[in-house]
Amino acid sequence: MDKIFRNTPKFTATDWLIDAVIAAGAFGFCCLQLTVAVNLLIPDEFMRRLMGIQAMVPSGLSLLAIALTTLPLVLRRKCPWAVFVWCLVSWGLLQAELNGIALSVAGPLIALFTLASARSRAEAAIACAVMCLVLLFAPAPPEQSRILTQLTVFQNMALALAAAFAGYALHEHQERTRAIEERAVAAERSRDAEARRRVEAERVSIAREVHDITAHSLSAVSIQAAAAERLVDRDPAAAKEAIAEVRRTAKGALEEIRAMIGVLRAGEGPAETTPTQGTDRMGDLVSYLEGADIEVTLDETAYDRACVPAFIDVALFGIAREAATNIVRHAGAHRAALALSTKREGFAELIVDDDGKGLAAPAAAAGHHGLLGMRERARLLQGTFSASPSPLGGVRIAVSVPLSQKEETHE
């Protein structure tokens, strides 16, 4: 029963204010009609008496009657059936007592409109039929002419039908709007699910490509390494070429895998697809330092890139890049020197010098995290790292990494 007679939407202060204004407006309209409408429409007193109409003078009882048929409209959306029944019964009982035609049906009409807009079509039809019956059989003042009584009943029934149809039309519009919104939400969910499915399919495709690249590259590396192993004693030049080919293959595979992994990287930023940078990009660091008004020298004449594994070459470039960044940001240097070397058998070495503020300066503390990062890179490659006073007057970064990486053992 509670579902039939009550609506339970979540009401805000604005909703209550709107309903209060509507109830107050209906009360004021009925008071105005009670005192003014008949006099304005039929100003001649003789004609009013001939038609059986008496001009009403507001009294306490008439104001109470109007209040009983309008002020409950404050609850019209919370209890549409209860408010409709109350307003209609109040109007029917008070109709004859207050000269019939002078008591407005505005309150019951608003209640009927609200019920039709909030409830089902069957409930709206029932409420409209009940109101029409009350309007049809409500007692009329004995002084009122039969024609005017019939005209009034016809007018009120027409208004009741219009209110019911208007409320039902609003109800249908709201239902259609709600259905459209639900379909839009469902379609959005479907699009999201399809997008996720496609992304997952693309990830699987990329994973297959990574597998293919890895398998192909490792197979090529294995073949070239085996060839180098056979040729190392009888044909050192051919063995050296095979080792260079191993390096090129490994580096190319590393760059391709890095590009693909960049696409799969989590987060909302753009995917990192830039190929892996090695010491062949040292010229970029020189340009970077020169752009900061630092005089730079680069010596890589003693560096045999072909004999350095790709991952070591990439790590050395990363350390050099971090050192160059520290020089520009913290050292306040005017000169810098970069040197790469493989002269020491079995090792690749990097030395970065500057004439900046030195290790004792606050700038060194500012670049402390950079030093830790460089030290960690060298340690992971089983190499050594040192930061010491430079012959140029600033800081010397020295890194030495073994070209033959031993597998670490863990107890």
Side-chain angles (χ1 to χ4, degrees):
M1 292 295 291
D2 186 66
K3 291 183 179 180
I4 296 177
F5 290 101
R6 288 178 60 85
N7 272 2
T8 55
K10 185 178 180 181
F11 262 44
T12 64
T14 303
D15 294 323
W16 285 113
L17 178 61
I18 291 173
D19 287 345
V21 170
I22 290 175
F27 178 81
F29 173 80
C30 292
C31 290
L32 183 66
Q33 186 185 46
L34 180 69
T35 56
V36 177
V38 172
N39 293 331
L40 291 178
L41 293 175
I42 310 174
D44 185 72
E45 184 178 356
F46 174 75
M47 287 297 297
R48 289 200 301 271
R49 291 189 178 186
L50 182 64
M51 297 174 67
I53 302 174
Q54 297 182 11
M56 291 292 299
V57 177
S59 63
L61 181 60
S62 63
L63 294 177
L64 177 62
I66 294 173
L68 289 174
T69 60
T70 57
L71 295 186
L73 294 174
V74 173
L75 301 173
R76 64 192 181 91
R77 287 191 285 175
K78 296 291 288 184
C79 311
W81 265 111
V83 171
F84 170 71
V85 171
W86 176 273
C87 292
L88 184 61
V89 170
S90 299
W91 181 88
L93 293 177
L94 297 170
Q95 171 76 353
E97 299 296 329
L98 297 175
N99 280 338
I101 194 173
L103 185 59
S104 174
V105 292
L109 287 176
I110 295 174
L112 176 61
F113 170 82
T114 303
L115 190 149
S117 66
R119 311 298 296 187
S120 65
R121 178 171 56 182
E123 292 180 70
I126 292 172
C128 183
V130 169
M131 184 166 180
C132 288
L133 288 175
V134 172
L135 293 173
L136 184 61
F137 294 105
E143 299 86 359
Q144 185 170 293
S145 67
R146 182 179 179 83
I147 295 176
L148 185 58
T149 298
Q150 293 176 347
L151 180 63
T152 302
V153 171
F154 176 79
Q155 170 193 279
N156 289 342
M157 291 179 67
L159 290 173
L161 289 171
F165 276 115
Y168 176 69
L170 177 61
H171 176 80
E172 288 297 300
H173 173 72
Q174 291 173 338
E175 287 295 317
R176 283 196 297 270
T177 302
R178 190 177 299 112
I180 291 172
E181 291 175 351
E182 290 175 354
R183 286 197 295 270
V185 171
E188 186 66 25
R189 290 199 196 101
S190 177
R191 284 195 295 270
D192 290 344
E194 178 65 16
R196 286 194 295 270
R197 186 192 66 78
R198 291 185 178 182
V199 168
E200 186 62 27
E202 185 64 22
R203 288 176 184 269
V204 171
S205 175
I206 292 174
R208 290 198 191 100
E209 292 183 21
V210 170
H211 175 269
D212 292 344
I213 292 170
T214 304
H216 173 76
S217 300
L218 290 179
S219 297
V221 166
S222 177
I223 293 171
Q224 294 294 335
E229 187 178 13
R230 289 194 302 269
L231 296 172
V232 67
D233 293 328
R234 58 181 179 175
D235 193 349
K240 185 176 181 181
E241 180 60 30
I243 293 173
E245 183 62 28
V246 167
R247 179 185 177 280
R248 285 192 294 270
T249 302
K251 185 175 181 181
L254 182 63
E255 291 177 354
E256 291 187 54
I257 291 174
R258 182 180 175 87
M260 289 187 178
I261 291 176
V263 175
L264 300 176
R265 188 185 64 179
E268 297 181 356
E272 182 181 341
T273 58
T274 305
T276 303
Q277 295 179 336
T279 58
D280 54 344
R281 303 294 298 273
M282 291 293 286
D284 293 347
L285 298 185
V286 172
S287 299
Y288 170 67
L289 291 167
E290 289 176 343
D293 294 330
I294 297 173
E295 183 183 341
V296 189
T297 60
L298 172 62
D299 181 8
E300 50 184 355
T301 56
Y303 185 71
D304 187 359
R305 193 169 286 111
C307 70
V308 180
F311 66 96
I312 294 178
D313 187 79
V314 169
L316 289 176
F317 178 77
I319 295 173
R321 181 172 53 193
E322 185 65 36
T325 301
N326 282 349
I327 291 172
V328 171
R329 291 184 178 178
H330 309 299
H334 300 286
R335 286 191 301 154
L338 303 155
L340 285 166
S341 173
T342 53
K343 285 192 302 183
R344 183 183 171 193
E345 185 176 356
F347 288 87
E349 296 178 331
L350 167 70
I351 296 177
V352 180
D353 289 300
D354 69 73
D355 66 344
K357 298 176 181 178
L359 292 171
H368 181 63
H369 292 295
L371 295 177
L372 290 179
M374 289 185 278
R375 187 185 303 276
E376 182 63 17
R377 287 195 189 201
R379 188 191 69 79
L380 291 175
L381 294 174
Q382 303 170 17
T384 60
F385 171 89
S386 66
S388 59
S390 168
L392 297 181
V395 178
R396 163 169 284 190
I397 300 297
V399 180
S400 179
V401 178
L403 298 179
S404 176
Q405 297 287 300
K406 297 179 181 179
E407 185 177 350
E408 294 185 359
T409 59
H410 302 278
E411 293 185 359

